[in-house]
Amino acid sequence: MSEMDNKCSSSDKAADVIEEYLDANHDVNRESDTDNADSVINTGNPPTDDSLHDLRSTQVLAEVDWQRSEDGNYSPSSYINRDLSLLQFHLRVLAQAADPRHPLLERLFFLMIFSSNIDEFFEIRMAGIMQKLSLGDVSTSVHGMRPSEILNEISAVTHDAIAEQYRILNEDILPALALEDIRYLKRDELNTEQSAWMKRYFTEQVSPVLTPISIDPAHPFPRLVNKSLNFIATLEGKDAFGRDINLAIVPAPRSLPRVIRLPDELTGGKEHHVMLSAVIHEHIGELFPGMNVTGCHQFRLTRNADLDLADDVDDIAKALEGELENRRFGDKVRLEVTTKCPTPISDYLLNEFELHDNQLYRVNGPVNLTRLLFDFNIPALRYQPFTHVVPKPFRREVDKLDKATSMFAAMRKGDVLVHHPFHAFSPIINLLWQAAIDPKVLAIKQTLYRSGTNSEIVKALAAAARNGKEVTAVIELRARFDEASNIAVANYLQEAGAVVVYGIVGYKTHAKLILIVRREDDKIRRYVHLGTGNYHAANAKAYTDYGLFSADPDISEDVHKIFQELTGMGKPANLKKLLHAPFTLHDKLMSFIDDEIAHAKAGKRAHIIVKVNALTERRLIDKLYDASQAGVKIELILRSICCLRPQVKGLSENITVRSVVGRFLEHTRIYYFYNDGDERLYCGSADWMDRNLFHRVEVAFPIEDEKLFKQIYQDGLLNYLQDNTQAWTLSGDGRWQQNQPAIGETPHIAQEYLLKVINRVGEPV
């Protein structure tokens, strides 16, 4: 998490930090019993198969009325609805805010993340379901639920969840913050001097940028921007023109900070703040001189924010720029008001926005928690900091290796693995900068999905282009909510002389690849980096991801061919080691599962472990069901969405599903198959979803080095299967339950274990 410099305006920056935490899940929380749970981690030997707690011994198999038809398809009851599953992930995030094991300010941050998650859920998923309903209330998904049924269930869950969110804020977090002298003061809590200061602040900083809009025949209800803070005021009296107007709307510009820190001289240097909504509410009468303001109520409107981009556009960049403006004014999907807003006012707004009662959300506090101030410099209330480790092969030894070629020399010796955020992101940046200035480097090619306009990676690529290198950037402009940033990156690189392409129309380029071509002893040698996460330095501090640096000739040749696919034309490349979507990845995964089924039927050990963000693709789910019924042991570690029902009698008895939610956002994608002892282990960019496997360019790469294989298997898989504290287990009925250590069992938290063994957190200094 990045530090924020300006406390007065850092509420605005907080939204950016939250977005950096979320990537991912950009298409994309819980009920918890945390009675006096100990946060001690297992500091012993690395986890092994034998040390894992067998979840099946404590789970009761669910009785689900599933069936399989003659054509081989499983019945709709065999699947969990995708949107309801995603909503359950958001509830698991919300549960972190209620968990006293997390430091206080981190709990506040989880509350803000939940708010941002729910915003996006309404903007994308809820909006999409509403569009389906407008076309007819007919089920088009494998789970069999109609859009109206999904909307009703989502409405019930989200209303309860948002009520719980504000209960946590008001009853748990704010009182605890107040004990630490961190306060968000209400208007009636200000003393005389503070009230006078707030009045001056309104007059000098707020009022000049406000535009009150009366509601009358000449001033129709204004078109409000998505998720903007607004106020509706009720008025009495006549204005300067003699008009008898009783309603006005006051939008709060995004340029105004939502949280204002009171000056030190008025608080004794304490972290005391007032909300912008309180400032406007207190002084809104000054916007309507000569009239009487009888009421003032804040509200926020959420709109459909998905982009509708046709596949036959002539210029993706220009088409996106046009669509980005439309995102601000999409169809309405939700109205938020405070609990004190009178029913006639909320009914008026619902009618104006053409929304139903179940789309109204009353909140006991600010209507937008994502812009609360949270990043106070109070280490005792934050996670313990740690130093990001550089892998030993990349620890520069200036006396042994020339500075400009040290990383290439290390990669020639063997593959190097980084595990973010425990390992530093700097090796990726250093590799590109070394390539940019190395006279032997001829070309650099890279995919960019989310990088940021102020990225060192982008600067290094631009420098390489200016230095005469052949630089090619495959920029995915359609990375949701990063479209504008990616357009700016593309323009910057083009101005530097780089070749910029936007991938393939109809297929997002989601693969994480770097290719460096270098001339060595009159021969061409290639160096590559392949990752599971984005080339974004801030994300690398908050997401768990793997990255592989390699000079393997076959892998390098495969990466070269994929770039040829992305920039040129021709038939799918014939790759030696990499699996890539939309061509070979899905088929290979299906065949790998078939191999495990064959081993199980032959009486041999058969085992599959998969760690991805989401599992929705029906054919893979069906194949896993088949494997379970054949006796294959299947362990799934899924961060968010799971449409598969585990632990169902006769259907999925040998499948367990768990989700780990904690300090870092789980983002690694790992596929493991025992394969009768000839084990297969791949890392990749693809989740097991239709969009990733059939509508995106994705890459999965094998881990062939024995040491790195063992490292990923133990740290990235077994370690998470052993987590008995931050892990949640999915039952066949679709419910998630947080794990608790059994009596006498040592608590184990996977992320803390990695901080211990990689970063030495918790060891005596």
Side-chain angles (χ1 to χ4, degrees):
M1 314 298 174
S2 60
E3 293 297 327
M4 298 186 182
D5 300 323
N6 188 331
K7 295 286 183 168
C8 191
S9 63
S10 57
S11 59
D12 302 305
K13 298 178 184 176
D16 296 333
V17 176
I18 292 171
E19 289 177 6
E20 290 171 358
Y21 186 90
L22 292 177
D23 150 304
N25 205 43
H26 269 312
D27 266 346
V28 179
N29 300 328
R30 77 197 152 189
E31 295 174 353
S32 167
D33 178 9
T34 56
D35 297 340
N36 301 317
D38 193 351
S39 62
V40 176
I41 65 171
N42 186 343
T43 59
N45 295 323
T48 63
D49 278 312
D50 294 336
S51 70
L52 299 183
H53 183 60
D54 190 349
L55 295 176
R56 287 171 294 176
S57 65
T58 60
Q59 280 189 298
V60 177
L61 292 178
E63 297 282 352
V64 174
D65 185 22
W66 68 275
Q67 296 158 2
R68 192 166 188 176
S69 59
E70 293 182 359
D71 62 5
N73 291 325
Y74 290 94
S75 62
S77 59
S78 305
Y79 310 96
I80 298 172
N81 174 263
R82 166 189 170 147
D83 297 295
L84 295 174
S85 182
L86 176 58
L87 188 55
Q88 288 298 316
F89 164 67
H90 298 328
L91 296 181
R92 296 197 293 279
V93 172
L94 177 61
Q96 305 305 312
D99 190 339
R101 289 174 298 199
H102 295 298
L104 181 57
L105 290 176
E106 306 297 348
R107 292 173 60 189
L108 177 60
F109 187 43
F110 276 115
L111 205 66
M112 295 162 65
I113 292 170
F114 171 76
S115 185
S116 180
N117 282 350
I118 289 296
D119 281 353
E120 185 178 329
F121 184 83
F122 275 91
E123 290 176 292
I124 304 300
R125 302 307 309 174
M126 197 74 154
I129 301 169
M130 291 173 62
Q131 285 182 330
K132 290 181 180 178
L133 180 60
S134 68
L135 300 175
D137 193 18
V138 179
S139 172
T140 59
S141 302
V142 295
H143 50 74
M145 295 181 69
R146 300 194 311 275
S148 62
E149 295 174 322
I150 300 170
L151 288 174
N152 288 336
E153 188 159 350
I154 287 175
S155 177
V157 173
T158 52
H159 275 90
D160 288 344
I162 290 171
E164 173 66 5
Q165 174 191 20
Y166 281 86
R167 186 205 66 77
I168 294 170
L169 175 70
N170 294 313
E171 298 181 14
D172 297 345
I173 292 180
L174 290 182
L177 288 172
L179 294 176
E180 302 291 341
D181 270 332
I182 301 173
R183 301 189 64 191
Y184 299 90
L185 297 172
K186 298 180 180 179
R187 291 177 293 152
D188 58 5
E189 294 176 324
L190 301 178
N191 60 34
T192 302
E193 290 181 334
Q194 292 169 341
S195 295
W197 179 89
M198 186 170 76
K199 180 177 177 63
R200 290 194 304 272
Y201 184 87
F202 175 84
T203 302
E204 297 172 3
Q205 303 292 331
V206 178
S207 179
V209 295
L210 293 181
T211 304
I213 304 169
S214 62
I215 305 300
D216 62 68
H219 300 85
F221 199 97
R223 192 182 187 199
L224 301 176
V225 174
N226 180 34
K227 296 188 299 184
S228 59
L229 174 63
N230 303 278
F231 298 84
I232 182 169
T234 53
L235 309 168
E236 289 180 345
K238 295 184 182 296
D239 70 358
F241 298 94
R243 297 175 301 174
D244 188 7
I245 297 173
N246 57 20
L247 277 181
I249 302 297
V250 182
R254 293 185 183 272
S255 59
L256 293 175
R258 296 313 191 240
V259 182
I260 301 104
R261 189 180 193 273
L262 292 172
D264 288 347
E265 59 268 23
L266 298 181
T267 66
K270 297 176 182 178
E271 293 288 357
H272 288 183
H273 309 79
V274 291
M275 304 297 295
L276 175 67
S277 56
V279 175
I280 293 177
H281 197 156
E282 179 70 12
H283 300 287
I284 195 167
E286 298 182 26
L287 301 176
F288 305 97
M291 303 186 74
N292 181 32
V293 177
T294 59
C296 175
H297 308 282
Q298 58 176 302
F299 68 94
R300 189 170 75 130
L301 179 68
T302 307
R303 296 177 178 272
N304 183 342
D306 210 357
L307 298 182
D308 185 15
L309 191 66
D311 289 342
D312 59 351
V313 296
D314 295 326
D315 188 318
I316 292 179
K318 289 183 179 179
L320 269 176
E321 287 175 336
E323 281 296 316
L324 288 175
E325 180 63 24
N326 294 336
R327 170 179 279 167
R328 305 170 67 215
F329 300 105
D331 294 338
K332 302 98 169 174
V333 294
R334 175 182 61 165
L335 172 65
E336 295 170 277
V337 300
T338 62
T339 53
K340 295 181 180 179
C341 181
T343 299
I345 295 297
S346 60
D347 286 347
Y348 169 80
L349 292 172
L350 285 174
N351 182 66
E352 183 64 39
F353 299 137
E354 300 179 321
L355 294 173
H356 300 292
D357 289 343
N358 63 358
Q359 293 170 293
L360 174 68
Y361 289 78
R362 292 184 175 273
V363 300
N364 188 17
V367 294
N368 182 3
L369 296 187
T370 61
R371 300 185 73 178
L372 279 176
L373 191 63
F374 82 100
D375 204 10
F376 305 102
N377 186 24
I378 306 177
L381 303 183
R382 305 298 304 272
Y383 287 127
Q384 183 177 350
F386 65 95
T387 301
H388 302 276
V389 175
V390 175
K392 188 174 181 180
F394 289 155
R395 293 173 196 166
R396 187 172 295 159
E397 301 176 64
V398 178
D399 58 330
K400 295 182 180 180
L401 294 172
D402 178 73
K403 181 178 180 180
T405 61
S406 59
M407 294 195 69
F408 298 119
M411 293 168 68
R412 286 195 297 272
K413 292 180 179 179
D415 292 350
V416 182
L417 183 75
V418 289
H419 190 179
H420 307 301
F422 315 100
H423 287 128
F425 189 71
S426 57
I428 298 172
I429 297 173
N430 292 342
L431 177 65
L432 288 170
W433 275 115
Q434 288 186 25
I437 62 176
D438 184 353
K440 294 183 180 180
V441 168
L442 306 178
I444 305 173
K445 299 182 181 183
Q446 182 169 3
T447 59
L448 292 173
Y449 193 72
R450 304 185 197 277
S451 61
T453 52
N454 196 33
S455 166
E456 280 293 312
I457 281 180
V458 175
K459 293 177 182 178
L461 292 174
R466 295 189 188 103
N467 289 340
K469 316 296 183 187
E470 185 70 21
V471 176
T472 302
V474 181
I475 300 179
E476 180 46 71
L477 296 182
R478 294 159 295 177
R480 182 172 289 151
F481 298 120
D482 276 315
E483 297 93 345
S485 172
N486 286 354
I487 289 172
V489 168
N491 293 336
Y492 175 75
L493 289 176
Q494 285 174 327
E495 291 172 1
V499 175
V500 175
V501 296
Y502 304 133
I504 309 299
V505 174
Y507 296 87
K508 284 187 178 180
T509 302
H510 194 248
K512 287 40 177 194
L513 303 172
I514 295 175
L515 171 66
I516 297 173
V517 181
R518 195 167 185 264
R519 188 185 301 280
E520 298 174 2
D521 300 325
D522 295 326
K523 294 181 180 180
I524 295 296
R525 184 155 192 165
R526 299 185 179 98
Y527 299 84
V528 298
H529 173 272
L530 308 95
T532 67
N534 300 302
Y535 291 118
H536 195 299
N539 286 351
K541 295 179 181 179
Y543 293 19
T544 66
D545 272 306
Y546 278 114
L548 181 71
F549 295 81
S550 180
D552 179 280
D554 289 341
I555 290 180
S556 300
E557 176 69 17
D558 284 353
V559 172
H560 167 71
K561 290 180 179 179
I562 291 174
F563 273 109
Q564 285 185 318
E565 283 183 348
L566 293 172
T567 60
M569 300 178 66
K571 294 187 179 298
N574 183 17
L575 306 183
K576 296 179 180 179
K577 291 186 176 181
L578 300 184
L579 311 179
H580 74 317
F583 304 113
T584 62
L585 180 55
H586 183 268
D587 288 345
K588 278 293 185 181
L589 292 173
M590 295 284 281
S591 70
F592 291 164
I593 300 173
D594 278 332
D595 289 344
E596 297 301 321
I597 292 174
H599 296 318
K601 289 182 176 180
K604 300 177 180 179
R605 175 185 172 186
H607 191 189
I608 297 171
I609 309 175
V610 177
K611 185 176 186 294
V612 292
N613 297 327
L615 170 61
T616 66
E617 204 282 306
R618 177 173 182 170
R619 281 179 282 175
L620 280 172
I621 292 174
D622 290 354
K623 187 65 71 174
L624 290 173
Y625 284 153
D626 295 345
S628 173
Q629 293 162 33
V632 180
K633 180 181 179 180
I634 303 167
E635 296 173 293
L636 305 177
I637 309 166
L638 307 176
R639 186 189 73 208
S640 55
I641 307 172
C642 180
C643 294
L644 174 149
R645 291 190 184 275
Q647 296 289 283
V648 173
K649 187 175 181 180
L651 175 69
S652 54
E653 296 180 36
N654 291 308
I655 304 176
T656 59
V657 177
R658 58 170 42 211
S659 172
V660 173
V661 183
R663 174 174 181 173
F664 308 115
L665 187 75
E666 288 299 328
H667 199 245
T668 54
R669 287 103 167 189
I670 310 169
Y671 325 139
Y672 168 82
F673 305 89
Y674 181 67
N675 193 34
D676 195 23
D678 186 15
E679 298 165 291
R680 297 167 170 146
L681 191 150
Y682 285 81
C683 293
S685 58
D687 294 313
W688 285 20
M689 305 178 73
D690 302 68
R691 70 178 190 195
N692 297 86
L693 299 168
F694 304 117
H695 305 290
R696 289 186 174 184
V697 178
E698 307 272 13
V699 168
F701 49 96
I703 304 300
E704 299 178 324
D705 180 279
E706 291 184 7
K707 182 179 179 180
L708 302 185
F709 187 111
K710 182 178 180 181
Q711 180 179 335
I712 294 175
Y713 182 71
Q714 292 184 339
D715 291 352
L717 294 177
L718 299 188
N719 172 44
Y720 282 85
L721 292 173
Q722 195 181 25
D723 192 315
N724 56 18
T725 305
Q726 286 297 127
W728 296 69
T729 303
L730 178 62
S731 301
D733 59 6
R735 291 184 296 177
W736 289 89
Q737 181 176 359
Q738 187 169 9
N739 292 356
Q740 297 291 339
I743 297 175
E745 185 180 22
T746 303
H748 183 91
I749 300 174
Q751 293 182 357
E752 291 190 12
Y753 171 83
L754 295 173
L755 284 170
K756 175 76 173 180
V757 298
I758 298 176
N759 307 94
R760 307 303 180 190
V761 171
E763 289 191 353
V765 178

